[in-house]
Amino acid sequence: MIADVLADATERMNKTVEATKDDFANVRTGRANPALFQKIMVPYYGTPTPLAQLASLQNPEARSLIVTPYDKGALRDIEQAIRDMPNLGANPTNDGTIIRVTLPELTEERRKEYVKIVRTKAEDGKVSVRNIRRKAKDELDALKSEVGDDEVARGEKELEAVTKNHVDAIDDALKRKEAELLEV
């Protein structure tokens, strides 16, 4: 039973770490990256639809991206959604069939702003991991009467080790992203 609680907590923590890394990918660095555009929601026939389902994204150069809509009727909506995306600063241009998105050069001030955003996302990920730990600890405490105090204490030690590993994984991803953001 303790193993089941720990396995469930580990799986949920792994998903949290992956979600945090995905959030990091959505913060732009000096290069254009199709992952930046994955979470853009485009109003398509009245329904918010992810950009990845409406268009293909190509990255021909370091600071530009080409968006090719599958439906040419959605061109203007896609262009507007990209323009309205916060923290992107992109300037899309529409030539009737494709949209070229040029990302401006990042200033030092803007880079530091992005580092703050990334740190906030990392802290949110760590809070999620700690919440998972707290729920798992409550489940372990509920098992005390069935398996005994020693087994629960051993399970809690394992849970702490798993939690520390996942928090460290988020910290490592944060350090890599900060280095990527601050490199000129």
Side-chain angles (χ1 to χ4, degrees):
M1 287 189 261
I2 291 176
D4 293 341
V5 171
L6 291 174
D8 181 50
T10 303
E11 181 183 332
R12 293 194 348 238
M13 286 180 190
N14 285 337
K15 288 179 183 175
T16 300
V17 170
E18 288 306 311
T20 303
K21 287 180 182 177
D22 286 347
D23 283 348
F24 287 174
N26 290 332
V27 176
R28 80 171 265 237
T29 56
R31 296 176 292 282
N33 181 354
L36 290 170
F37 295 84
Q38 293 300 325
K39 293 197 176 173
I40 294 179
M41 298 303 272
V42 179
Y44 185 62
Y45 290 112
T47 306
T49 310
L51 178 60
Q53 293 179 8
L54 295 175
S56 67
L57 304 168
Q58 289 106 22
N59 191 358
E61 316 172 2
R63 286 189 16 242
S64 69
L65 201 78
I66 294 178
V67 180
T68 310
Y70 302 129
D71 175 10
K72 303 298 179 216
L75 204 64
R76 199 160 304 297
D77 291 335
I78 292 171
E79 183 181 8
Q80 189 61 42
I82 292 170
R83 188 171 287 119
D84 294 345
M85 179 72 175
N87 297 324
L88 196 57
N91 187 18
T93 55
N94 171 354
D95 73 358
T97 55
I98 62 171
I99 299 170
R100 293 183 198 285
V101 182
T102 306
L103 298 174
E105 194 66 46
L106 288 178
T107 63
E108 188 65 28
E109 180 181 307
R110 195 79 172 127
R111 288 176 191 274
K112 288 181 180 169
E113 207 174 293
Y114 282 142
V115 167
K116 286 180 189 172
I117 291 169
V118 168
R119 284 184 181 153
T120 303
K121 290 178 186 248
E123 193 54 43
D124 291 345
K126 289 183 205 175
V127 167
S128 295
V129 167
R130 290 184 196 118
N131 286 339
I132 293 167
R133 177 193 63 196
R134 185 173 33 82
K135 287 178 187 166
K137 189 173 180 328
D138 291 344
E139 290 174 21
L140 288 174
D141 288 342
L143 294 174
K144 262 188 188 177
S145 61
E146 295 175 36
V147 294
D149 291 345
D150 291 344
E151 290 296 318
V152 169
R154 207 171 292 124
E156 286 177 1
K157 281 183 184 172
E158 283 183 48
L159 182 63
E160 287 302 317
V162 167
T163 302
K164 184 179 181 332
N165 288 342
H166 286 85
V167 168
D168 290 346
I170 290 174
D171 283 337
D172 290 345
L174 173 64
K175 284 179 187 151
R176 283 194 301 275
K177 189 64 175 187
E178 280 182 358
E180 192 179 322
L181 280 166
L182 294 174
E183 98 184 14
V184 179

